[in-house]
Amino acid sequence: MSAKERATKTSFRKKLFGKRFFRYRYAFTGYAMIAPAFILLTVFVVVPLGMAVYRSFFDYRAYAAVQEFVGLKNYLTILRTTSFVNSFKNALLFAAVIVVVQLLLSFTFAHVLKRCNTVYGRIVRTVIYVPFLISGITASIVFLFMTNYGGGLINGILLYFDADPIAIIMDKNWARIAVIVPTLWLGFGYNSLVMYAGLLNIPKDYYEAATLDGAGWWRKLIKITLPGMTNYFLLTIVGLLTGALTMFDIPFLMTGGGPLESTLTPVLYLFNNYRNVLQTSSITLAGAILVMLIVGALNAGVFFGVQSKVSDD
C-alpha cells in the first residue's frame, strides 16, 4: 500500500469515526492491562462473596439434595448470640484504645524523627520498622513468655522486688492490656513513619511565615501541622480501625478469647463458631457478612467525616 493510499484510508477513518476511533483504540489497551487484575479479583473475591451472601440466606448443608431457604434467620440468630455481641463490644473497646494511643504515640515520635537528621536518625527509622515485619503469631509467643505467671519476665521482675506476681492472662483487665500492648508494638514503627512522611510534606515556608507573624508552637500545630496531616491521619485511622475490629491472631494465641470472653473478638468468635458441629456454616457466613458491613460502615463514616472537614476548610 502506497503512502497516498494509507493517508487516504486514515482520513476516511477520521471522517467515519472522528476522535472516538483513537479514544477507543487507546481505551482498549488500558482495558487489556487491567483485565488480569479484574479477572483475579472477580474469581477470588467477587464470586466467593456472592456465594457467601447467597448461602447465608439458606440452611446450607453440603450433602443435602435441597437447600432450605430461611431468609434472615441466620442473621437474627447471630445477632441474638450473646458471645457475638460481646465480641463486638470488645473489638470496639480495643479499636478506641488502639486508635487513640497509636495516633498520639506515632505523631509524637514522628516529630522526634523529624528533628533527628543524623545517621542515628536513619538507624532509628530502620529499627522501629522491624516489628512491623514480624507476624502477630511471633509477637504473641514473645509476649506470652513475658507475661507467663510462673517464669515470665514481668513476674520475674516483680518477684525480684518482693512483689506479688500477677496472673495477667487470667485477669480481665490485664488480659485486655496484654492484647493491646503487642498490637501497639507491631504497628508503632509503620505508623510513625507514615506520620514522619506527612510532616516532611508540609512546606517549611508555612512555618517560617507563621514565625514572622509571631505564632507560637501551639498555633502552628493547630493551624498548619494538623490540617496538613489530615490525609495521613485518615490513612492511619482507617488502618488501625480495620485491624482492631478484625483482630484474630494475638487474642487467639495469648488468651483464647478469655477470661470470660473479655478478649473475644468477632473474627475469633466466627473461627470458633465455624468448628461447632451443632450449627451450620450459614450462621458463620451471616456473621462474617455482618462484620464486613459494620467495618465498612465505620470506615465510610471516617472517610465522610474527614472529607467533610477538608471541604469546609
Side-chain angles (χ1 to χ4, degrees):
M1 182 182 295
S2 64
K4 183 177 180 180
E5 291 176 341
R6 284 198 299 268
T8 304
K9 188 174 182 180
T10 302
S11 177
F12 174 76
R13 286 180 176 177
K14 287 183 178 181
K15 293 180 180 179
L16 181 62
F17 298 105
K19 296 181 179 179
R20 292 184 179 182
F21 173 77
F22 296 97
R23 183 170 72 241
Y24 291 156
R25 189 178 73 179
Y26 292 121
F28 175 78
T29 304
Y31 291 142
M33 293 179 67
I34 67 173
F38 179 78
I39 293 172
L40 291 175
L41 184 67
T42 302
V43 173
F44 293 104
V45 177
V46 178
V47 173
L49 178 60
M51 294 175 62
V53 173
Y54 173 79
R55 291 184 180 182
S56 67
F57 293 106
F58 289 82
D59 184 14
Y60 188 80
R61 308 281 179 175
Y63 300 101
V66 179
Q67 306 297 337
E68 180 185 358
F69 179 78
V70 295
L72 297 176
K73 179 181 178 181
N74 293 323
Y75 292 91
L76 296 176
T77 300
I78 200 74
L79 287 174
R80 291 169 182 168
T81 304
T82 304
S83 297
F84 182 76
V85 176
N86 290 336
S87 69
F88 253 107
K89 292 179 180 179
N90 295 332
L92 291 174
L93 175 63
F94 289 150
V97 174
I98 290 172
V99 169
V100 173
V101 175
Q102 191 73 277
L103 277 177
L104 292 176
L105 290 178
S106 58
F107 183 67
T108 303
F109 195 73
H111 283 80
V112 177
L113 294 176
K114 184 180 179 182
R115 293 177 179 272
C116 190
N117 295 323
T118 62
V119 63
Y120 298 106
R122 291 192 289 270
I123 294 175
V124 171
R125 290 195 294 270
T126 303
V127 171
I128 65 171
Y129 187 74
V130 171
F132 184 72
L133 304 176
I134 300 175
S135 67
I137 296 175
T138 304
S140 300
I141 295 174
V142 171
F143 278 85
L144 275 175
F145 281 114
M146 295 177 61
T147 58
N148 187 274
Y149 182 78
L153 176 63
I154 296 176
N155 284 319
I157 296 174
L158 293 175
L159 291 173
Y160 179 80
F161 290 101
D162 295 327
D164 294 331
I166 304 173
I168 296 177
I169 306 302
M170 302 306 296
D171 182 87
K172 291 174 62 176
N173 295 325
W174 281 111
R176 286 169 176 163
I177 295 175
V179 171
I180 291 174
V181 170
T183 305
L184 292 173
W185 178 66
L186 288 175
F188 173 72
Y190 170 79
N191 291 296
S192 295
L193 293 179
V194 170
M195 296 293 180
Y196 172 69
L199 291 176
L200 292 181
N201 282 333
I202 299 177
K204 295 181 180 180
D205 298 343
Y206 294 175
Y207 294 104
E208 294 174 357
T211 302
L212 293 176
D213 290 339
W217 71 270
W218 176 253
R219 193 164 185 83
K220 293 178 184 177
L221 176 67
I222 299 300
K223 296 297 184 179
I224 299 176
T225 305
L226 295 182
M229 294 286 293
T230 301
N231 291 333
Y232 297 91
F233 287 141
L234 174 63
L235 172 65
T236 305
I237 291 173
V238 169
L240 292 174
L241 184 63
T242 303
L245 294 176
T246 58
M247 192 186 302
F248 171 73
D249 45 4
I250 293 178
F252 173 70
L253 285 173
M254 293 199 66
T255 64
L260 300 176
E261 298 184 348
S262 59
T263 59
L264 184 66
T265 60
V267 178
L268 180 55
Y269 169 79
L270 294 174
F271 174 78
N272 295 330
N273 191 66
Y274 183 77
R275 298 183 298 173
N276 186 358
V277 296
L278 300 179
Q279 291 184 347
T280 65
S281 61
S282 299
I283 296 179
T284 305
L285 289 174
I289 293 170
L290 285 175
V291 172
M292 179 190 70
L293 292 176
I294 294 174
V295 172
L298 291 175
N299 285 328
V302 173
F303 275 106
F304 178 78
V306 173
Q307 287 179 354
S308 297
K309 185 178 184 303
V310 172
S311 62
D312 291 340
D313 293 341

